[in-house]
Amino acid sequence: MRTLISTSGVDPANRSVHWHSAIAQAYFPLDLHFREPDRFGGRLEEWLLGGVSLSRLRSEALSYHRHPHHLTCDEQEHLLITIPMKTEVFFSQSGREVYCKPGGYIIERSHEPYEFSYGERADLWVMKVEASALGGRIRSPDRFCGMQFTARGGISGLFVDMLHHIPQRFEAMNEEARAAVGLQLVDLLALSIHADERTLTSGGSSVRAAHLSRVEHFVRANLHRRELDPDLIARCCGISVRYLHELFRDTERTLGQWVRDLRIEAVKADLRAPGTKMSIAEICFRRGFGDVAHFSRLFKQQVGCSPGEYRRQMMLS
């Protein structure tokens, strides 16, 4: 589905209210501060790609504020990835401040208050994705909020190039293809973040974080292996089992819980993948679970519904 919202043709006295509604519909509720409300102009186009929303926002100078009272409205946490194309933007969240110029991008969390603004007419790409979708590909993506990433060259350039091509190709794609493209965007975003050397050093010492990142890459690439236990992980990553467990001491989960959660996230991605023909049992074994009944109980405990129910919900959404 494509949506277009514009202040063109809207009475100047009503434009601020109109734009408030447009922003809440595309992203989530925010307070907006207009420099010149009666002279404000904006255009917002949105394309839905399965569970991913892509939008292009053009507007006059504006300041957006996410306050604590806004947070009670949302159960599911989302991330906004904003890529300015024309003018510098300011972003502040969780004690971090960043001025992001064209050629970079920033990540914003819906579950924390923030301020976002630009002092001139702006042209922005904005990608909205569930935090859990990116979390299934990157450990603790929230640690990257308030940091500027490059949007040029290599995998990052490919990510941004793909955004530009979607509007021209959107109408020629069916729903299944659009959902597949949405998943590819999330994959490219994850690869772009991984390519930044700060992925290794954020959240701890560089040596410890580098080991943790190596473990993360190995585990994600080997979720299909039923024997993915601490001995195998430690041996293949060149560290001791004791040190492996030590790496996870200051994280929210034990090593075993983390591997289990990664498997569940991978299964969820398989279940909602457009056009998949795999049975639930095949997906179960593909992601390293050895017993379908045990896997189904664990999935329901984690997700709140059975794998079959989850697949049906995703097909209907």
Side-chain angles (χ1 to χ4, degrees):
M1 183 177 70
R2 172 184 175 270
T3 304
L4 171 61
I5 302 174
S6 172
T7 58
S8 178
V10 177
D11 185 272
N14 296 324
R15 288 184 179 181
S16 60
V17 174
H18 184 71
W19 199 248
H20 263 101
S21 176
I23 292 300
Q25 178 181 323
Y27 309 122
F28 32 69
L30 294 160
D31 283 351
L32 279 54
H33 296 167
F34 299 83
R35 178 179 293 178
E36 298 179 281
D38 293 345
R39 300 180 62 185
F40 177 81
R43 175 186 173 93
L44 175 61
E45 292 179 88
E46 182 183 14
W47 300 269
L48 293 183
L49 304 160
V52 174
S53 161
L54 175 65
S55 55
R56 189 159 190 178
L57 185 158
R58 301 173 176 94
S59 87
E60 306 297 338
L62 196 56
S63 177
Y64 303 80
H65 298 261
R66 180 84 164 154
H67 295 298
H69 70 266
H70 291 129
L71 310 182
T72 59
C73 304
D74 299 322
E75 296 182 3
Q76 178 69 47
E77 180 169 19
H78 288 85
L79 301 175
L80 296 185
I81 296 83
T82 301
I83 306 107
M85 303 303 296
K86 185 176 180 180
T87 193
E88 180 181 79
V89 300
F90 169 77
F91 178 63
S92 174
Q93 186 171 50
S94 301
R96 290 180 176 174
E97 295 184 354
V98 61
Y99 288 89
C100 184
K101 300 178 183 296
Y105 67 83
I106 55 175
I107 302 174
E108 307 148 46
R109 295 181 63 194
S110 68
H111 274 28
E112 290 289 338
Y114 70 74
E115 177 184 349
F116 176 82
S117 63
Y118 39 90
E120 302 175 27
R121 182 169 179 81
D123 182 353
L124 314 169
W125 285 104
V126 184
M127 176 176 157
K128 180 183 176 184
V129 61
E130 289 186 2
S132 59
L134 191 57
R137 295 163 171 82
I138 295 177
R139 178 178 54 87
S140 303
D142 54 286
R143 62 193 164 115
F144 301 118
C145 291
M147 294 167 58
Q148 176 175 316
F149 291 85
T150 182
R152 293 175 175 160
I155 200 70
S156 298
L158 180 60
F159 168 61
V160 176
D161 287 346
M162 189 171 176
L163 302 184
H164 283 276
H165 287 297
I166 286 172
Q168 288 76 37
R169 304 284 187 265
F170 187 78
E171 295 301 331
M173 294 186 286
N174 59 28
E175 290 297 323
E176 182 177 311
R178 291 170 185 171
V181 168
L183 293 175
Q184 289 173 6
L185 281 178
V186 178
D187 286 336
L188 285 174
L189 173 64
L191 289 172
S192 172
I193 294 172
H194 271 304
D196 192 297
E197 62 182 12
R198 291 170 300 174
T199 303
L200 299 178
T201 58
S202 63
S205 71
S206 59
V207 174
R208 179 182 180 277
H211 282 304
L212 197 53
S213 183
R214 188 179 301 112
V215 168
E216 181 176 357
H217 281 288
F218 175 78
V219 170
R220 289 184 187 279
N222 289 274
L223 287 176
H224 61 283
R225 299 174 68 167
R226 212 170 299 173
E227 72 277 17
L228 192 62
D229 59 14
D231 288 335
L232 176 65
I233 297 170
R235 184 171 68 255
C236 292
C237 293
I239 58 178
S240 69
V241 173
R242 180 177 180 180
Y243 183 62
L244 174 62
H245 288 297
E246 183 73 12
L247 289 174
F248 283 81
R249 184 186 62 183
D250 296 328
T251 65
E252 298 176 352
R253 294 167 287 183
T254 66
L255 172 64
Q257 291 171 334
W258 178 67
V259 172
R260 177 203 63 199
D261 291 348
L262 284 184
R263 292 192 198 275
I264 293 292
E265 286 301 323
V267 166
K268 288 168 65 179
D270 290 339
L271 290 172
R272 63 176 179 260
T276 181
K277 304 298 183 183
M278 289 186 293
S279 68
I280 289 174
E282 288 173 322
I283 292 174
C284 164
F285 297 129
R286 179 173 184 256
R287 294 307 182 180
F289 292 101
D291 179 82
V292 177
H294 172 71
F295 154 72
S296 296
R297 287 194 297 271
L298 182 60
F299 187 94
K300 187 169 185 177
Q301 177 184 334
Q302 291 281 102
V303 183
C305 61
S306 71
E309 291 169 336
Y310 181 83
R311 169 177 268 173
R312 287 190 291 274
Q313 290 173 10
M314 292 302 101
M315 291 176 65
L316 294 173
S317 61

